[in-house]
Amino acid sequence: MGCDGGTIPKRHELVKGPKKVEKVDKDAELVAQWNYCALSQEILRRPIVACELGRLYNKDAVIEFLLDKSSEKALGKAASHIKSIKNVTELRLSDNPAWEGDRGNTKGDKHDDLQRARFICPVVGLEMNGRHRFCFLRCCGCVFSERALKEIKAEVCHTCGAAFGEDDIVVLNGTKEDVAALKGRMEDRRLRARLEKKAKKPKAAEAASKPDVGEGTSGEKPEEPSPDSQDKKTTPAPRSTAANGGSSGKAGKPPGAATKRSIADSEESEAYKSIFTTHSSAKRSKEESAHWVTHTSYCF
């Protein structure tokens, strides 16, 4: 069968050997990890966030994933550990001044340098292209190279000055060992938060029940009022004669009525008295008053 017509088969066509293991191109893998969103597979664009395992995402893709929980997506496994927007941190990245992007690619024939990265370390200047290990701080979101943190040892952030600890350092796109260590820290952190939340609930319930216990269930007898206080309560307060109409027999005047007096006779200052029309400065003489026929100034 076959081999007719003078065809000569080769050995690899007849003998089936072991399949070769397909090797992943390292450069392509680095480009996919550092330039594309791990959830939507789109190019990373600001705002960029990172999860507790060190993966990079577009923030809008994470929000869409959290809102659209009903649909089963194949890429949802990459973000299955993200339960809320609080589980990701928005990154504060430093732009690379040598990166041009698509600015000079007007005709579409420009060579893309995959080794050139969009972002760099603000301390050392290393490019964030996967050739060097980078990490970010959970407390503030600043991104640095691991070399910068090792060479310049400090307990505060090199950019914003925020204090951080070892638990706040998360390696970006780390190895399998790094991801396993970060996953253990993430589970411990979430367990502590859950226990603290449960411990707060009984305390809040006790604080709410304390006023009720103090009011109704206390065994102490209420203090009996003294006879002096009872006499004070029984004796009515004296009423003003102005309200009753009183002994004077004049019931026509209201209680707040007062005798009229001129402001000129008061002891106020001259500046205060000059506001009113009864002051001498407000009165005009006959020469200053207007003519009875016309109000023009020519007839004074």
Side-chain angles (χ1 to χ4, degrees):
M1 296 176 65
C3 295
D4 52 347
T7 58
I8 302 173
K10 296 181 181 180
R11 184 179 182 279
H12 70 274
E13 295 176 354
L14 300 174
V15 181
K16 294 182 179 180
K19 292 184 178 180
K20 293 182 179 179
V21 180
E22 295 182 359
K23 294 183 179 179
V24 181
D25 187 7
K26 290 184 178 180
D27 294 336
E29 187 179 8
L30 292 177
V31 170
Q33 286 181 347
W34 294 92
N35 294 337
Y36 291 86
C37 173
L39 184 60
S40 63
Q41 301 301 318
E42 296 179 356
I43 296 177
L44 289 173
R45 58 184 179 274
R46 283 190 170 94
I48 300 172
V49 297
C51 65
E52 294 172 292
L53 300 182
R55 295 169 185 158
L56 299 174
Y57 308 90
N58 288 326
K59 191 173 183 179
D60 54 353
V62 175
I63 294 173
E64 290 176 6
F65 170 75
L66 294 173
L67 294 176
D68 191 13
K69 291 182 179 179
S70 59
S71 62
E72 295 180 359
K73 298 181 180 179
L75 298 175
K77 295 180 180 178
S80 59
H81 59 284
I82 300 176
K83 305 300 180 184
S84 68
I85 198 65
K86 294 180 180 180
N87 298 140
V88 296
T89 305
E90 187 171 343
L91 302 181
R92 303 168 68 178
L93 298 160
S94 302
D95 294 323
N96 185 5
W99 187 75
E100 296 180 358
D102 295 335
R103 284 178 290 181
N105 193 13
T106 55
K107 298 181 180 179
D109 56 352
K110 184 181 177 182
H111 171 69
D112 291 334
D113 188 5
L114 299 178
Q115 303 302 322
R116 186 72 64 186
R118 293 172 56 190
F119 309 109
I120 60 172
C121 173
V123 180
V124 185
L126 296 176
E127 294 186 355
M128 199 173 75
N129 54 8
R131 301 292 178 183
H132 309 280
R133 287 168 63 89
F134 272 74
C135 51
F136 75 94
L137 305 179
R138 291 180 57 256
C139 56
C140 59
C142 296
V143 180
F144 304 98
S145 63
E146 196 175 49
R147 184 187 299 180
L149 292 177
K150 287 181 179 179
E151 291 181 357
I152 308 173
K153 294 182 180 180
E155 296 180 355
V156 294
C157 177
H158 301 313
T159 302
C160 62
F164 67 92
E166 283 293 330
D167 191 50
D168 294 327
I169 302 174
V170 180
V171 180
L172 290 171
N173 292 325
T175 60
K176 292 181 179 180
E177 292 78 10
D178 296 332
V179 173
L182 292 173
K183 191 173 183 179
R185 283 161 52 183
M186 177 187 69
E187 293 174 354
D188 293 342
R189 196 182 303 115
R190 292 184 180 181
L191 181 61
R192 287 198 304 268
R194 223 177 291 124
L195 294 175
E196 289 176 2
K197 191 175 181 180
K198 287 182 179 179
K200 287 180 181 179
K201 287 183 179 179
K203 290 182 180 179
E206 288 177 5
S209 62
K210 276 182 181 180
D212 301 336
V213 171
E215 289 176 3
T217 61
S218 61
E220 296 179 0
K221 295 181 180 180
E223 295 181 358
E224 297 181 357
S226 60
D228 297 336
S229 60
Q230 288 181 355
D231 295 340
K232 289 180 182 179
K233 288 181 181 179
T234 53
T235 54
R239 296 181 180 179
S240 60
T241 56
N244 287 335
S247 57
S248 60
K250 297 178 181 179
K253 291 184 180 181
T259 57
K260 294 183 178 180
R261 59 188 182 87
S262 175
I263 195 66
D265 301 335
S266 65
E267 298 179 356
E268 302 291 340
S269 62
E270 289 295 328
Y272 179 75
K273 293 179 182 179
S274 63
I275 300 174
F276 302 93
T277 57
T278 56
H279 193 257
S280 60
S281 61
K283 297 178 181 178
R284 295 182 179 181
S285 61
K286 290 184 178 180
E287 296 177 357
E288 294 175 349
S289 60
H291 196 268
W292 67 276
V293 176
T294 179
H295 62 273
T296 57
S297 59
Y298 300 105
C299 299
F300 281 108

